[in-house]
Amino acid sequence: MPGTPRPVYYYRHGLAVLRHVREAPSWMSYDERVGAYVAPGHRWSELRDWAGERGIPSSSTPHDPGDAAAGEASEDVAASPLYDPRTPRPYQSDSVDRWLADGGRGSVVLPTGAGKTFVAILAIHRTSGRTGGRACVVAPTRALVGQWFAQLADAFGIDRTGAWYGEEKELRPITVTTYHSAFDLLERWGDRFPLLVLDEAHHLEDAAAGGAKAWHDALRIAPAAHRLGLTATYPDGRDSELRRLVGGVVYRRTVAEMADAELADFALERRFVELTAAERERYDAADAAYESYMAGVRQRYTDPGDAWLVFMAATRRSTAARRAFRAFLERERIVVLAENKLRETLRLLALHPAERAILFTGSTAAAESLSRRLAVPIITASTPARERKELLDAMADGRIRAVASVRVLDEGWDVPAAKLGVVLGDSTRGGRRQHAQRLGRLLRRQGDHIASLYEVVAADTYEFFASQKRRAGMARGAEPQLGLGV
């Protein structure tokens, strides 16, 4: 009929849009404001298939991600070869093969130190015929954005690599961003990135109460058909949204499977220390005050999480609850700053005189105490990225023997020179994921060096139970651990 607009579909502002049709897929809804059928951007590839079967074209304006990828692929690939000279290890090639076989969707689970960044580089390169070598890499922190930027620039050329976060917003064919900034980037420019790489994908686990959380929104609006999740600690049992928006686990290897053959072999040992007489007296008094108050709370709320929330709410209105909370903090301080922990750390450093070490703490106060007493530098979340790099470079070339860390080195940072770790406390009350990430800092192979991770635990304190939880998370079955055991 003359003058009747032709059906068309396109992507705009996080939505897959279908216009001028009488029928639409059941998963689309009509939006009066737009005057068209719409769906979240992640349904883009489904809309493209649906429209293709009916001969409905995509609009050239706004820009079509499918057409852009196809139209620019040969030029982009020819202009930007892979400069990374490394030969993939068999498991790295296998993981990308499995991911491609599953339609270029899903998560790859490899231990920290196994080279997940290189897996992403291979995925970007091997899909470039369909994507034009365009990808958005999402990482949890700005520090990791810097690391990704450096490695991607080395692999594909700095002219093709950009970063988008904070005040720095440089859009390039391969752009690295944070989970906090991803929504803004993908809402405006999502059609430029046919591939999403999601670093430390365990951050995309379901919310504590079940269901989705805010960081999933960026995945919902993105039209990328190819999605690669990377993590060492996959959130099994809390991955419903991750599976829906990224895909299931397509490849998984454990530390136990890869130790010795592909990673540094490792030894785990737990060392118990006693509190001094003065520390024990103060600890017991604080523990009694705290537990006396909490006994009544736990009688009414058997779930530990609920009991803690009720306790913290009570501190705003109850003098008794505030006294109990001060006792709780005093108990924590005594354990993290225990004198014999420091002495045991000195013994461990002397036991491994040739190894560079990371001293993992659970609080800034503990890290500062170690830094002062042992004359070692400290790295915290507030340490500028440039200073962190300088310290780790100094460790790599032997100018620094050890660093004290508060969480910031737990995840993502490459510290291949360090083969000795000393855990003096954690920030997660025995979290298995944090413990696995800390071990991973030591597992990058360097010749025949063995990675050693020691836990220094204050005996007969709450810390023993936290250590038990970490121990359960790192069990390696019946395989011996160089005679040291856990």
Side-chain angles (χ1 to χ4, degrees):
M1 181 176 179
T4 301
R6 292 186 60 194
V8 68
Y9 73 99
Y10 54 85
Y11 172 85
R12 176 179 286 175
H13 300 317
L15 293 174
V17 183
L18 177 63
R19 191 180 290 277
H20 309 315
V21 296
R22 292 184 177 179
E23 62 170 334
S26 60
W27 37 264
M28 300 192 80
S29 59
Y30 191 79
D31 190 319
E32 296 283 354
R33 297 166 298 178
V34 180
Y37 287 93
V38 298
H42 74 91
R43 310 300 293 260
W44 169 260
S45 58
E46 296 170 80
L47 175 58
R48 186 173 56 199
D49 293 343
W50 183 92
E53 292 172 357
R54 291 159 178 77
I56 299 175
S58 64
S59 172
S60 57
T61 306
H63 176 80
D64 171 47
D67 292 348
E72 299 172 5
S74 59
E75 178 183 349
D76 282 349
V77 173
S80 59
L82 178 62
Y83 298 112
D84 197 313
R86 290 175 290 177
T87 300
R89 293 181 179 271
Y91 66 86
Q92 291 171 326
S93 296
D94 289 347
S95 64
V96 177
D97 289 343
R98 299 275 187 89
W99 177 72
L100 290 171
D102 218 42
R105 292 175 66 87
S107 293
V108 171
V109 184
L110 291 171
T112 304
K116 290 187 290 296
T117 302
F118 192 48
V119 169
I121 289 171
L122 293 173
I124 294 170
H125 182 61
R126 290 184 59 181
T127 56
S128 58
R130 285 169 281 176
T131 66
R134 295 177 178 272
C136 175
V137 178
V138 190
T141 66
R142 293 186 177 194
L144 291 177
V145 167
Q147 286 203 116
W148 272 98
F149 179 89
Q151 294 198 49
L152 292 168
D154 288 344
F156 297 105
I158 195 166
D159 58 319
R160 290 183 54 81
T161 309
W164 183 285
Y165 66 96
E167 298 302 315
E168 183 173 356
K169 291 183 169 61
E170 184 180 32
L171 196 68
R172 290 287 186 269
I174 301 173
T175 300
V176 193
T177 187
T178 65
Y179 283 109
H180 286 291
S181 300
F183 187 93
D184 176 53
L185 170 63
L186 295 172
E187 183 185 35
R188 296 172 63 184
W189 306 107
D191 55 348
R192 301 214 175 178
F193 304 112
L195 168 60
L196 287 182
V197 176
L198 306 163
D199 187 29
E200 307 293 358
H202 53 270
H203 287 283
L204 296 166
E205 67 182 357
D206 298 341
K213 59 183 181 182
W215 281 0
H216 292 121
D217 291 343
L219 304 186
R220 290 194 192 92
I221 66 169
H226 300 297
R227 300 178 178 214
L228 172 62
L230 298 170
T231 182
T233 51
Y234 189 79
D236 292 297
R238 295 183 60 180
D239 61 342
S240 60
E241 283 297 295
L242 188 56
R243 282 187 284 107
R244 188 172 75 86
L245 296 170
V246 178
V249 175
V250 295
Y251 189 86
R252 189 194 302 246
R253 297 285 297 278
T254 66
V255 170
E257 291 171 332
M258 299 180 68
D260 192 37
E262 290 138 344
L263 301 175
D265 206 346
F266 66 94
L268 306 177
E269 185 175 358
R270 184 165 49 173
R271 296 285 183 94
F272 289 100
V273 298
E274 297 288 343
L275 298 179
T276 65
E279 289 169 344
R280 172 55 64 186
E281 183 178 358
R282 287 164 36 224
Y283 179 89
D284 288 345
D287 186 60
Y290 170 67
E291 292 296 340
S292 175
Y293 183 89
M294 287 300 293
V297 178
R298 293 184 184 122
Q299 282 181 351
R300 288 177 287 128
Y301 301 92
T302 55
D303 180 85
D306 291 343
W308 179 258
L309 290 175
V310 169
F311 171 52
M312 292 307 296
T315 61
R316 294 195 293 268
R317 60 181 184 274
S318 166
T319 302
R322 286 193 290 272
R323 281 198 298 266
F325 185 56
R326 284 195 294 270
F328 169 83
L329 294 177
E330 172 67 3
R331 191 181 72 161
E332 299 267 318
R333 193 184 72 82
I334 293 166
V335 168
V336 300
L337 298 178
E339 180 65 25
N340 284 331
K341 280 191 171 184
L342 175 67
R343 294 173 182 169
E344 187 62 26
T345 301
L346 288 169
R347 279 194 286 269
L348 292 172
L349 291 173
L351 184 64
H352 299 268
E355 301 291 2
R356 275 149 276 182
I358 303 176
L359 311 179
F360 297 105
T361 68
S363 70
T364 301
E368 289 174 344
S369 176
L370 280 172
S371 179
R372 289 192 302 269
R373 300 285 294 277
L374 301 182
V376 299
I378 180 176
I379 298 180
T380 71
S382 62
T383 305
R386 182 182 298 274
E387 184 179 341
R388 295 181 205 173
K389 185 178 185 305
E390 290 173 353
L391 289 172
L392 296 178
D393 287 346
M395 176 180 280
D397 62 27
R399 287 177 287 133
I400 291 177
R401 169 76 198 281
V403 295
S405 167
V406 185
R407 294 201 68 172
V408 71
L409 294 185
D410 290 356
E411 183 176 78
W413 280 89
D414 289 335
V415 198
K419 286 293 172 282
L420 172 63
V422 182
V423 176
L424 296 153
D426 67 27
S427 57
T428 61
R429 287 296 183 141
R432 300 177 183 184
R433 178 175 295 159
Q434 184 180 55
H435 201 51
Q437 294 280 4
R438 286 173 164 181
L439 176 61
R441 297 304 107 220
L442 315 174
L443 287 182
R444 298 193 186 277
R445 177 174 284 283
Q446 278 198 321
D448 294 328
H449 285 237
I450 294 172
S452 302
L453 185 68
Y454 292 89
E455 288 184 79
V456 181
V457 180
D460 195 21
T461 70
Y462 71 84
E463 194 174 47
F464 171 79
F465 300 102
S467 175
Q468 289 292 92
K469 289 171 62 179
R470 292 194 295 259
R471 177 186 181 189
M474 291 307 300
R476 292 177 64 189
E479 184 178 351
Q481 296 175 21
L482 303 180
L484 296 177
V486 183

